[in-house]
Amino acid sequence: MAQAYKVRLPDGRIERPTEWSSTPLYSTVDIATGPLVDLQAFSYGVGNSVPGSVGPRKSTDSDTNMQGPGSILPENEELLLYAIMAEFYVVNTTGNIYLLNNDATAPNPPEMSALNMARIQRDTLLVLNIADTKDYLRHPVGFFPAGMGLWTVSGDVRNDLGFAIIGGQNGSPSTYDRRELATPHQVKGGEAFSITLRFPLGTITGLDFGDDTNARIRARIYADGYRKRPVA
Amino acid sequence: MINQITKIRMPSGDEIALVDWSARPLYSNVDLLTGFTDQQIFAFNYTEGETVSFSENMPVASQRVASLRDTNISGRSEMDSTEEYLVYEIKVEPHQWTRDTQTGFFNTGTTGGLPIINGPNLSLLQNRLILELDVSQKAFPQAGLGWFNQGFGPVVAVASTAAVRTYANQGVASHDASHSMPIPVHIGGTEDYMVILTNGPNAPGQTGNGAVTFVGDTASSLSNSMIQLRIYLCGLHKRATA
């Protein structure tokens, strides 16, 4: 069915029935152990391959809500980006409950351990690129707190090695604690944009899932702000 | 049944609507039994007296009739013709229960600390589930479950003799910690709306939805565990005054 996104009035003016809403875009990449290349989020739409994943696997709604081929905002949309948030999970293969190599205090997946979260914050940059011309933001990923997640206290919970578990997240799980940019970044309809996780050292030092070579750190990245979409 | 006076036509022909706006949250529960594989689960699709939304693996004996504790909406999946809503926040309140296999009812069982949810299960749901608010079949806020901070809940202090488990909250239990949309979502009278929970992939290479299995803090499977998510739409609610 055709989409009516422009109306020409009798006097020649063109009106576009669009609306602005607070609906974040999100996209997922999977981080493995060992050598790493740039992982570009928002580079695929639903049904395309997830960067860094085993297989690679085809994305679903839980990976992204980016429509179209990815890497480009649809012509009839616009984004005023006020905040970028990154949340992380551990995804392991069935049967490997605790991933304890170099991480004796790891909690049960998918909860991140504090140690692995610190390693990721130490070794990973988040890069915002618009129109393939300029890196508008290029900062360590800890600069972009998730502003969501678990807020936990625990009793005397120990893992199989007998160590007390220490969970970790990318910043405080409070919306108030996310970083809001003083000036938004505009992505126009039809403009290319990407948010990339970059690993200057070529790896995340110390990240080790032992025998479970298919385990991944799953990073879901949100681009939040005002989003314009057609109404019909 | 008495007719409801919602509009008065003045002699001049002007119409005055007898309505008021109030800050009244709408809420709806969904029951998720461990091991569920549903691709989508819906909320706000039942009213008081009807069946609470449940995962497909829920035995018949455990499918509950909704009470005011489950929902306060007046029309399933549709805003009443005399009402209107401006949604500013969506909050998710999780609780964890144990299913009694004899009666089919849910209670706190023998697990200390219930119905406070544990860390692994809340992290699992935040990873696997995408929540979206659909209005007139268009997705508005659509994000991982963790995005929708609860903004309230028990503030737990643990004694040294506390049960060996974690106590988790959906984000910091503070009103300031919940996400308020600068542009609200409008739901007009008679407009369709629904909250949809979408279940994503499981193992690293898996495509499509896999089973969501709840566990204890020591990774043991909880065979009769149920997690209830009470989903709130918070904002301004217009209703007829008479």
Side-chain angles (χ1 to χ4, degrees):
Chain A
M1 185 177 180
Q3 189 177 55
Y5 64 92
K6 272 195 285 193
V7 174
R8 188 186 293 276
L9 298 177
D11 62 6
R13 282 179 298 142
I14 293 179
E15 290 292 330
R16 296 173 190 272
T18 57
E19 63 179 358
W20 287 90
S21 60
S22 306
T23 48
L25 282 171
Y26 60 89
S27 184
T28 301
V29 296
D30 285 358
I31 305 169
T33 57
L36 292 170
V37 296
D38 284 2
L39 295 172
Q40 207 172 72
F42 302 97
S43 62
Y44 63 95
V46 178
N48 301 129
S49 300
V50 177
S53 62
V54 175
R57 62 183 176 80
K58 290 285 179 275
S59 64
T60 65
D61 280 341
S62 76
D63 295 301
T64 186
N65 62 349
M66 186 84 169
Q67 301 296 316
S71 294
I72 193 167
L73 203 63
E75 288 272 353
N76 51 13
E77 294 189 16
E78 194 174 331
L79 181 64
L80 282 174
L81 188 58
Y82 274 93
I84 298 175
M85 299 127 86
E87 58 169 354
F88 295 88
Y89 298 96
V90 176
V91 183
N92 61 307
T93 306
T94 304
N96 292 283
I97 304 298
Y98 290 108
L99 306 173
L100 297 173
N101 283 38
N102 286 348
D103 195 1
T105 57
N108 191 25
E111 193 178 349
M112 285 286 294
S113 69
L115 195 51
N116 278 335
M117 192 65 251
R119 287 170 174 145
I120 290 172
Q121 290 177 332
R122 179 195 63 199
D123 292 345
T124 309
L125 297 183
L126 187 147
V127 181
L128 168 68
N129 184 285
I130 299 175
D132 288 327
T133 55
K134 189 173 170 181
D135 289 348
Y136 283 86
L137 294 168
R138 191 189 329 137
H139 298 81
V141 72
F143 190 80
F144 306 97
M148 67 188 94
L150 303 182
W151 192 53
T152 59
V153 293
S154 67
D156 192 18
V157 178
R158 294 174 182 272
N159 59 28
D160 286 348
L161 288 185
F163 291 98
I165 60 169
I166 306 175
Q169 301 182 100
N170 189 28
S172 157
S174 165
T175 303
Y176 221 46
D177 293 330
R178 71 180 195 164
R179 187 175 301 280
E180 292 211 355
L181 304 171
T183 54
H185 294 284
Q186 182 191 26
V187 182
K188 290 183 181 174
E191 210 161 30
F193 96 100
S194 64
I195 297 179
T196 302
L197 292 186
R198 184 169 294 166
F199 311 95
L201 299 179
T203 186
I204 294 177
T205 306
L207 187 65
D208 183 356
F209 294 141
D211 292 338
D212 193 354
T213 54
N214 284 336
R216 294 287 186 272
I217 301 284
R218 185 154 292 166
R220 189 153 54 203
I221 299 167
Y222 291 84
D224 190 26
Y226 299 118
R227 193 164 146 222
K228 188 178 82 175
R229 294 179 296 173
V231 294
Chain B
M1 184 177 168
I2 193 169
N3 285 330
Q4 191 175 47
I5 301 171
T6 59
K7 276 194 281 195
I8 296 176
R9 187 186 292 274
M10 305 296 286
S12 63
D14 294 333
E15 285 189 358
I16 299 173
L18 297 176
V19 295
D20 61 10
W21 286 90
S22 57
R24 178 173 179 263
L26 300 176
Y27 56 88
S28 181
N29 257 331
V30 296
D31 291 352
L32 307 174
L33 189 63
T34 183
F36 76 89
T37 58
D38 307 51
Q39 191 168 29
Q40 286 187 323
I41 299 163
F42 304 94
F44 296 93
N45 60 336
Y46 64 91
T47 58
E48 201 176 336
E50 296 178 330
T51 306
V52 175
S53 186
F54 54 86
S55 56
E56 275 303 303
N57 62 340
M58 189 73 71
V60 173
S62 300
Q63 294 169 16
R64 302 184 301 110
V65 175
S67 66
L68 192 59
R69 192 175 72 81
D70 297 296
T71 186
N72 65 344
I73 61 174
S74 54
R76 72 169 99 95
S77 302
E78 183 180 277
M79 190 60 62
D80 196 89
S81 60
T82 58
E83 297 182 11
E84 209 172 316
Y85 209 93
L86 286 171
V87 182
Y88 278 92
E89 294 185 353
I90 300 175
K91 303 186 183 194
V92 178
E93 180 189 9
H95 290 109
Q96 185 172 324
W97 301 94
T98 298
R99 179 176 163 267
D100 186 324
T101 53
Q102 299 295 320
T103 63
F105 298 154
F106 296 103
N107 53 42
T108 55
T110 56
T111 303
L114 291 188
I116 301 176
I117 191 172
N118 69 12
N121 287 330
L122 185 53
S123 183
L124 184 65
L125 292 175
Q126 289 180 346
N127 174 23
R128 296 290 301 278
L129 298 182
I130 297 295
L131 186 151
E132 71 181 61
L133 170 62
D134 269 23
V135 180
S136 294
Q137 299 178 10
K138 185 173 175 182
F140 282 88
Q142 180 189 44
L145 192 75
W147 175 275
F148 304 97
N149 287 9
Q150 185 175 337
F152 58 90
V155 179
V156 178
V158 177
S160 60
T161 54
V164 179
R165 57 157 295 180
T166 56
Y167 301 84
N169 217 66
Q170 169 92 333
V172 175
S174 162
H175 179 66
D176 278 344
S178 57
H179 188 86
S180 188
M181 294 182 281
I183 302 176
V185 178
H186 175 247
I187 306 174
T190 75
E191 204 163 12
D192 295 335
Y193 75 100
M194 195 176 291
V195 167
I196 304 174
L197 298 171
T198 301
N199 174 17
N202 187 5
Q206 185 178 16
T207 300
N209 53 301
V212 180
T213 303
F214 303 141
V215 295
D217 286 281
T218 53
S220 56
S221 175
L222 299 176
S223 56
N224 286 299
S225 185
M226 186 271 279
I227 290 175
Q228 194 170 71
L229 300 178
R230 188 150 53 200
I231 300 166
Y232 291 81
L233 302 180
C234 301
L236 297 174
H237 191 187
K238 187 183 88 174
R239 291 176 292 171
T241 54

